[in-house]
Amino acid sequence: MAKDSKVRQENGVVLSFIPTGEYYFNKGINAFHRHDLTGARKYLERAIQLEPYEPMIACQLGLVYMQLEQYQESNDLFNRILEELDPSMTECLYFLANNFAELGLFSEAKNYATSYLDTDPYGEFIEDAEDLLYIVGMEEDGEDDFPIKDELILKQDKARQLLESGNFEKAVEILTNVIEEFPDFWSAYNNLALGYFYLGDMDKAASVLDELLVKNPGNLHGICNLAVFLYHQRRDQELQVLLEGLEKVKPLLIEHKYKLGATFALIGRYKQAYMWLNKLKKYGFEGDSSYYYWLAQSAYYTGHEQTAKNAWKQLLELNPEKEGQEPWNDRNAQGVGFEDDVTSTLKKLRSDYMEERLFGIFILSKSTRKDEMVSHPDFKSLDEFSLTEKVYLANVLDADLKKQFDPNGIISRAHQVADILYEKHHPIDAASSGLFLMWFSVFLEGVKNGQEFTNLRGFAAATEYLWNKLKHEKKFQAEISKTYEISNSTLQKYTKIVLQYCK
């Protein structure tokens, strides 16, 4: 029997397999995500044969035709959707506009783009349609404007590359110039806002998007980005206004469902987040670790515990460091860290490793259950502590011993550096505990080499910078320097020092 036969025999029973349109649709989607356009077309054409009145299949096939530059076939499908299958799928107007622009029929492209903007002011392709009208307008003005159009596209692509590579300051510089030259080129505003956001300047990021939404009130990407920024700034009333617009959006493309779902998850609107992210799973979407993280979070907080656990299992395969941060972990779910975990802290105080014992004392200093820990029968007796630990413990318990045995304040400065790190990373969880362990390890090695630890913020910033590098996470020097209020040169200097003491 052939391998690809649609029947198989098992224990004398013939089991038939009758593929559905949904089956081929999912295979087509997976092929599309692998950039296998020929395979995607084959599967989606089969899907539409089986389910000719399903607008979702027709639209996805139209998009594949678009990518393959089969513009006439693509236009036929989009027109059929609007005229017969589902007139509410207004995004097809934008897709038609895009196709006509590619064909050089700029008047038709302008008409469809304008129709899309008028019909769906909260549509997910508002920004794209605005950009298309901008470019089409240049084309219609004549050949003399081709150099201007080319310059704009080159600048925009360069800025996006800089953002993706982490060169945020240069990207901000280019995008600021783009907006000065082309004040109604809306995508530049969104990218500029992201640049400021990545640099940690939340006020400027929000200000840029405020300006964008005054000039272009229906810009979906701007609304989505601003929602995240306002959430971080705790501007709840303004956030609620934006969310009323976002909740009206009905995305079609998988990447846009992901964007909307992730945005809702980021701001804690788990019901809406789960709706979109779970739909992606049904489509066979193979996401990255961020996708599974937000799916697990939104599923858990909406009562879909099995989905959450399945998503978390897939997340750990991609990112094992997330182990211990499950949303159903009571400590994390309640926003409580190791600071009030008595058992964990007592174990750290009895560790075989000095840095872990010092970390345990630091946790003790931040705990609301300090008295309970000190009086616990498993708490070590003072005789079991080393001299360094005794002095540190004296710092924590506000005793006079620190003046006698730490006259130069070295151990006190170790605690102050940990305090600075704690300002940025609290409550302490399984992930951030590695940062504090790294610092106390650096401190112990530095003491052996006579390091005085005078610039507290310099040591804190350098430790976090190297910690992020160790985890292969993107955090650039400019971002860390700004967070710890030091110069880039200071960060570079102390990074070299800390690097010497990293075991």
Side-chain angles (χ1 to χ4, degrees):
M1 186 177 291
K3 288 175 66 177
D4 60 350
S5 173
K6 293 185 176 58
V7 298
R8 61 187 176 88
Q9 192 163 352
E10 186 175 299
N11 297 326
V13 178
V14 176
L15 303 176
S16 64
F17 170 61
I18 304 175
T20 63
E22 183 180 4
Y23 169 79
Y24 284 113
F25 175 76
N26 289 333
K27 290 183 73 69
I29 290 293
N30 288 332
F32 185 77
H33 280 276
R34 295 194 306 269
H35 306 289
D36 177 10
L37 295 176
T38 302
R41 177 179 61 188
K42 179 183 72 173
Y43 289 125
L44 291 168
E45 285 177 342
R46 180 58 178 147
I48 206 168
Q49 287 176 357
L50 294 169
E51 297 190 39
Y53 300 106
E54 174 50 61
M56 182 75 74
I57 296 174
C59 190
Q60 192 63 50
L61 179 56
L63 292 171
V64 170
Y65 284 149
M66 178 193 294
Q67 294 289 321
L68 290 169
E69 299 183 3
Q70 295 179 237
Y71 298 118
Q72 187 58 56
E73 293 88 342
S74 179
N75 286 345
D76 288 345
L77 282 173
F78 293 140
N79 279 316
R80 180 169 176 248
I81 292 168
L82 291 169
E83 293 170 6
E84 301 175 21
L85 303 182
D86 187 354
S88 70
M89 291 179 66
T90 54
E91 54 267 52
C92 292
L93 293 168
Y94 166 71
F95 299 147
L96 285 163
N98 190 77
N99 282 350
F100 281 114
E102 292 291 340
L103 290 167
L105 301 172
F106 303 121
S107 179
E108 290 292 324
K110 182 177 180 180
N111 289 339
Y112 277 109
T114 302
S115 179
Y116 172 70
L117 293 171
D118 292 341
T119 304
D120 196 354
Y122 289 105
E124 62 181 305
F125 299 105
I126 291 293
E127 182 180 26
D128 301 285
E130 293 280 7
D131 286 353
L132 181 61
L133 282 175
Y134 198 90
I135 300 299
V136 165
M138 288 183 171
E139 299 280 12
E140 287 186 321
D141 287 341
E143 288 190 11
D144 291 342
D145 286 327
F146 273 113
I148 298 176
K149 183 197 76 169
D150 292 341
E151 178 190 2
L152 175 61
I153 292 173
L154 287 172
K155 284 184 175 181
Q156 178 181 238
D157 287 344
K158 178 64 175 176
R160 285 176 176 168
Q161 290 172 13
L162 289 168
L163 286 174
E164 290 172 0
S165 65
N167 195 341
F168 306 128
E169 291 179 339
K170 185 62 178 176
V172 164
E173 179 184 334
I174 291 176
L175 290 164
T176 300
N177 291 334
V178 168
I179 289 173
E180 288 176 359
E181 294 181 52
F182 307 97
D184 52 349
F185 191 61
W186 309 125
S187 63
Y189 290 82
N190 277 307
N191 288 326
L192 178 58
L194 288 174
Y196 281 127
F197 180 72
Y198 295 145
L199 285 169
D201 196 334
M202 298 293 296
D203 290 335
K204 283 189 176 179
S207 176
V208 169
L209 291 181
D210 282 337
E211 180 183 357
L212 167 63
L213 293 171
V214 167
K215 295 178 177 178
N216 185 230
N219 190 290
L220 176 65
H221 292 277
I223 293 172
C224 206
N225 290 333
L226 187 55
V228 175
F229 298 168
L230 293 179
Y231 173 77
H232 282 289
Q233 292 181 310
R234 306 297 182 190
R235 292 160 62 181
D236 296 335
Q237 291 184 344
E238 295 166 85
L239 174 61
Q240 183 57 39
V241 173
L242 291 184
L243 290 179
E244 290 174 2
L246 278 179
E247 288 171 353
K248 297 177 182 178
V249 176
K250 297 179 180 179
L252 173 67
L253 295 180
I254 284 180
E255 54 264 37
H256 291 119
K257 287 184 172 71
Y258 184 13
K259 178 180 177 65
L260 192 58
T263 299
F264 279 125
L266 277 164
I267 60 179
R269 300 299 176 108
Y270 294 117
K271 181 179 179 181
Q272 296 95 324
Y274 179 73
M275 177 181 69
W276 294 119
L277 296 175
N278 192 50
K279 281 185 178 181
L280 292 178
K281 183 172 70 71
K282 291 180 178 179
Y283 293 150
F285 180 69
E286 297 178 2
D288 56 11
S289 59
S290 294
Y291 166 71
Y292 292 112
Y293 178 83
W294 291 121
L295 175 58
Q297 291 278 337
S298 59
Y300 178 75
Y301 289 116
T302 53
H304 302 87
E305 294 190 17
Q306 191 56 52
T307 300
K309 290 179 179 178
N310 291 340
W312 198 265
K313 182 179 178 181
Q314 290 176 285
L315 168 62
L316 291 180
E317 291 177 3
L318 298 171
N319 190 351
E321 290 184 358
K322 290 293 183 183
E323 187 169 3
Q325 301 177 54
E326 297 87 349
W328 49 89
N329 183 310
D330 288 340
R331 181 170 59 244
N332 290 320
Q334 297 167 11
V336 179
F338 289 136
E339 295 90 321
D340 292 325
D341 190 327
V342 175
T343 302
S344 173
T345 303
L346 293 175
K347 284 182 179 179
K348 286 179 173 61
L349 292 172
R350 290 189 172 275
S351 170
D352 292 334
Y353 299 96
M354 181 72 153
E355 60 265 28
E356 191 163 356
R357 298 198 299 272
L358 294 179
F359 179 34
I361 296 174
F362 177 75
I363 291 175
L364 181 67
S365 74
K366 299 299 177 185
S367 180
T368 61
R369 304 174 70 180
K370 184 190 303 181
D371 292 341
E372 180 183 345
M373 291 183 189
V374 172
S375 61
H376 196 283
D378 290 337
F379 191 81
K380 290 199 308 185
S381 69
L382 285 178
D383 292 339
E384 294 179 87
F385 286 98
S386 69
L387 178 59
T388 300
E389 292 170 76
K390 287 178 181 177
V391 175
Y392 191 10
L393 195 60
N395 274 271
V396 169
L397 300 176
D398 296 322
D400 291 332
L401 191 63
K402 61 182 179 182
K403 297 176 183 177
Q404 181 179 350
F405 292 102
D406 189 27
N408 296 323
I410 294 294
I411 296 175
S412 178
R413 287 198 284 278
H415 178 74
Q416 290 175 59
V417 171
D419 251 342
I420 292 170
L421 293 171
Y422 187 74
E423 290 175 7
K424 319 297 180 186
H425 300 275
H426 68 276
I428 301 171
D429 58 18
S432 60
S433 63
L435 171 63
F436 292 92
L437 284 169
M438 182 177 180
W439 161 243
F440 284 112
S441 176
V442 166
F443 166 71
L444 291 171
E445 291 299 311
V447 167
K448 294 176 187 177
N449 290 273
Q451 184 63 240
E452 295 185 354
F453 303 102
T454 51
N455 190 323
L456 305 179
R457 290 191 172 276
F459 277 104
T463 302
E464 177 167 343
Y465 177 68
L466 290 173
W467 178 61
N468 281 304
K469 285 193 71 174
L470 184 67
K471 297 190 301 171
H472 304 291
E473 289 187 0
K474 282 187 177 181
K475 271 209 174 182
F476 295 88
Q477 291 188 357
E479 183 181 358
I480 297 289
S481 300
K482 187 176 182 63
T483 299
Y484 286 90
E485 300 176 345
I486 61 174
S487 66
N488 281 357
S489 60
T490 299
L491 176 59
Q492 291 165 5
K493 173 184 175 181
Y494 283 92
T495 297
K496 291 177 182 176
I497 295 172
V498 170
L499 193 57
Q500 299 175 54
Y501 305 138
C502 288
K503 291 197 262 185

